[in-house]
């Protein structure tokens, strides 16, 4: 354990109260946080994982599986949405095309037929326009819809965690469908479910969207998050697992029901009094059993991993999507960099940012003294994400929306990426579009304005490369929202 004076040290330019540090903290400020502009020190790498088996973080594998690549057993999830017509033509004329290839935007026309984009850039012929529904862009920005990689459709803006478990299933289902619509209303056409408050809510919403019964984004469904007793967020939203046998059985049940991924609650959270963010809740044996069971069924594993030990477990045993990662160490950062082609990270920076703001005002049951806890983790998380960005690790938006202080519809991650994480507007947009297509496992169909891609598009009144806030729906700049070739929202009259 690090000496107390080291544990409670504050890196340069950070101003949290040292009293906010848990008494049992073993966190040490990483080298890149203490001196971000100095050369990285040479670290002595781990040579064993948590089970004592050989481990090389620079050439990571576990029991014969190469952890620099996605497990070959993973299946591509279905993202199709049923459509009543495959022949309808929609033409966006004179738009500024931000295609999410990394190229600068350019003026041109875009033609949609049925569910797909069929033409990008060239001026459309009059005879083509005659048969199309025409939207005059007048130089407005046309781009891919956005991705929330940490979505909770079944979190319904409740002021407390207990409200999620006490709400009857019938009302909860309707409100979850409303949340899905709010994602789409806000320009989010892709969502990665990050745990369902009740076992089947994500599934029901996803299936209804795909059947065309309700409006919503292309949604990857998750099950209830899993945790051992005493290591959970809230009893009513948790499937409890104590042994490898328990977790294998639970995952098989979720997978057989049709989920696209499963979620492990592997660390604490600052919202919990007795289970802080630096605490780790899973044994190595449970993590190993979970990854093997899920991958054997072809589905991915997501992890709530704020503590460094939880992050290290994710990297040693093959978890696919890491959430939070605030207290990552030098050693774990190096291991993550070695797996950057396989792993996705969503810091959910908004939940920390928003929790700090309401704690400072003592709102929603937060106490003013708690603000220092959120300030500390927020500052540490910001530094960690800036370092990940520098190393080319894939970071995506997704802000843990669905609490009363982070309500659906208030999605502001892209602004926070630019404001706090040193992303340029283009980098933030690519993280929410092109990388969104990747994390959805459909990189050649989602997340770009290119021929053959799904017509999931937003027409923006403004240039997000000059002002990223135009992509925040509450600012009222999303003039047209299209998904699957169908216009969901249109401020224009068209032809």
């Amino acid at each position: 354990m690090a000496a107390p004076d080291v544990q409670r040290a504050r890196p340069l330019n950070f101003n949290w109260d040292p009293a906010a540090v848990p008494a049992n903290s073993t966190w040490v400020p990483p080298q890149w946080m203490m001196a971000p502009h100095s050369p990285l020190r040479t670290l002595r790498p781990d040579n064993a994982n948590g089970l004592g088996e050989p481990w090389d973080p620079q050439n990571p594998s576990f029991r014969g599986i190469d952890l620099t690549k996605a497990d070959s057993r993973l299946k591509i999830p279905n993202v199709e949405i049923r459509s009543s017509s495959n022949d309808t033509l929609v033409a966006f004329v004179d738009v500024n095309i931000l295609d999410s290839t990394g190229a600068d935007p350019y003026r041109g026309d875009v033609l949609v037929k049925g569910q797909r984009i069929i033409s990008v850039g060239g001026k459309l012929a009059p005879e083509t326009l005659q048969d199309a529904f025409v939207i005059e862009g007048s130089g407005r920005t046309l781009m891919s819809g956005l991705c929330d990689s940490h979505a909770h459709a079944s979190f319904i803006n409740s002021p407390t965690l207990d409200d999620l478990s006490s709400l009857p299933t019938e009302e909860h289902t309707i409100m979850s469908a409303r949340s899905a619509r709010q994602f789409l209303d806000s320009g989010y056409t892709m969502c990665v479910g990050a745990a369902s408050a009740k076992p089947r809510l994500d599934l029901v919403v996803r299936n209804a969207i795909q059947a065309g019964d309700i409006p919503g984004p292309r949604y990857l469904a998750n099950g209830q998050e899993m945790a051992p007793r005493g290591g959970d967020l809230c009893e009513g939203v948790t499937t409890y697992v104590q042994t490898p046998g328990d977790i294998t059985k639970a995952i098989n049940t979720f997978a057989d029901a049709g989920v696209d991924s499963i979620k492990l609650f592997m660390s604490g959270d600052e919202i919990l009094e007795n289970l802080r963010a630096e605490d780790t809740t899973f044994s190595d044996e449970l993590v190993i059993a979970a990854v093997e069971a899920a991958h054997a069924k072809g589905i991915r594993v997501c992890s709530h991993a704020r503590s460094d030990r939880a992050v290290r477990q994710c990297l040693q045993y093959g978890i696919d999507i890491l959430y939070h990662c605030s207290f990552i160490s030098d050693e774990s950062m190096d291991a993550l960099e070695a797996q950057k082609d396989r792993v996705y990270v969503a810091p959910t920076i908004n939940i920390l940012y928003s929790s700090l703001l309401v704690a400072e005002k003592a709102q929603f049951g937060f106490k003013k003294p708690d603000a220092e806890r959120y300030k500390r983790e927020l500052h540490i998380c910001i530094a960690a994400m800036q370092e990940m960005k520098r190393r080319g690790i894939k970071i995506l938006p997704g802000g843990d929306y669905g609490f009363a202080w982070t309500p659906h519809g208030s999605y502001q991650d892209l602004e926070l990426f630019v404001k706090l994480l040193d992303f340029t507007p283009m980098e933030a947009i690519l993280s929410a579009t092109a990388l969104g297509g990747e994390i959805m496992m459909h990189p050649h169909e989602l997340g770009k304005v290119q021929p053959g891609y799904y017509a999931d598009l937003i027409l923006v009144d403004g240039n997000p490369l000059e002002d990223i806030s135009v992509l925040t729906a509450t600012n009222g700049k999303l003039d047209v929202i299209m998904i699957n070739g169908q216009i969901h929202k249109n401020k224009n009259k068209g032809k």
Side-chain angles (χ1 to χ4, degrees), residues 60-347:
S61 65
F62 180 66
R63 297 179 180 173
I65 296 176
D66 182 356
L67 297 180
T68 66
K69 302 175 182 178
D71 193 320
S72 61
R73 296 175 292 177
L74 295 178
K75 300 175 183 177
I76 305 300
N78 177 40
V79 295
E80 293 182 7
I81 298 174
R82 185 177 301 166
S83 176
S84 59
S85 174
N86 292 319
D87 298 319
T88 303
L89 291 175
V90 179
F92 293 88
V93 175
D94 188 28
V95 289
N96 201 33
I97 302 167
L98 202 170
D99 63 14
S100 289
T101 65
D104 291 336
Y106 58 96
R107 293 287 275 266
D109 300 347
V110 172
L111 184 63
V112 171
K113 182 178 181 180
Q115 302 171 23
R116 304 273 179 170
I117 300 167
I118 63 170
S119 174
V120 176
K123 185 173 179 59
L124 295 172
E127 55 268 26
T128 300
L129 297 178
Q130 185 175 356
D131 296 327
F133 181 89
V134 178
I135 296 174
E136 295 285 351
S138 302
R140 288 173 292 173
T141 301
L142 185 71
M143 57 181 284
S144 166
L146 308 173
C147 178
D148 187 298
S149 62
H150 187 112
H152 291 298
S154 58
F155 285 27
I156 37 80
N157 305 342
S158 304
T160 71
L161 293 170
D162 289 336
D163 289 340
L164 289 175
S165 56
S166 61
L167 188 67
T169 301
E170 295 83 357
E171 287 85 348
H172 206 157
T173 303
I174 293 171
M175 297 180 78
S176 299
R178 182 187 68 181
S179 300
R181 177 167 188 146
Q182 286 177 300
F183 274 118
L184 186 57
D185 288 344
S186 302
Y188 284 80
T189 58
M190 301 174 275
C191 284
V192 178
S196 179
K198 292 183 173 69
R200 296 185 64 254
L201 285 177
D202 258 23
L203 277 171
V204 169
V205 169
R206 181 205 66 191
N207 292 347
I209 292 170
Q210 291 183 349
D213 294 333
I214 63 172
R218 300 184 195 274
Y219 199 99
L220 301 185
N222 212 312
Q224 265 191 327
E225 66 185 10
M226 288 172 271
R229 290 196 175 274
D232 58 304
L233 180 67
C234 174
E235 181 172 355
V237 301
T238 304
T239 293
Y240 288 107
V241 291
Q242 301 298 126
T243 67
D246 290 342
I247 205 164
T248 299
K249 181 178 179 181
I251 289 171
N252 286 342
T253 299
F254 283 130
D256 291 345
V259 301
D260 300 300
S261 56
I262 58 100
K263 168 88 171 289
L264 311 180
F265 191 79
M266 290 174 56
S267 75
D269 196 287
E270 291 303 287
I271 200 173
L272 302 173
E273 290 292 333
N274 300 316
L275 194 65
R276 299 286 295 273
E278 293 177 66
D279 296 328
T280 302
T281 61
F282 266 63
S283 68
D284 291 75
E285 291 81 1
L286 272 184
V287 179
I288 292 165
V291 174
E292 175 55 31
H295 286 187
K297 287 287 190 177
I299 62 175
R300 291 183 293 181
V301 185
C302 312
S303 172
H304 173 105
R306 296 188 182 274
S307 72
D308 180 61
R309 184 185 168 203
V311 172
R312 193 83 58 92
Q313 289 174 319
C314 291
L315 298 171
Q316 289 180 337
Y317 305 124
I319 285 178
D320 307 285
I321 300 173
L322 279 63
Y323 293 136
H324 315 304
C325 302
S326 301
F327 292 95
I328 188 170
S329 65
D330 287 298
E331 293 83 356
S332 296
M333 184 70 79
D334 287 349
L336 177 57
E337 184 178 9
Q339 299 185 41
K340 65 183 180 181
D341 291 336
R342 181 185 69 83
V343 173
Y344 299 91
V345 174

Side-chain angles (χ1 to χ4, degrees), residues 60 66 88 91 114 224 305 318 366 381 405 413 424 430 442 487:
D66 182 356
T88 303
Q224 265 191 327
F366 287 82
C381 184
W405 59 99
D413 288 64
T424 67
L430 292 177
H442 287 264
I487 296 173

Side-chain angles (χ1 to χ4, degrees), residues 13 44 60 109 237 484 494:
N13 302 320
R44 181 179 179 181
D109 300 347
V237 301
N484 210 43

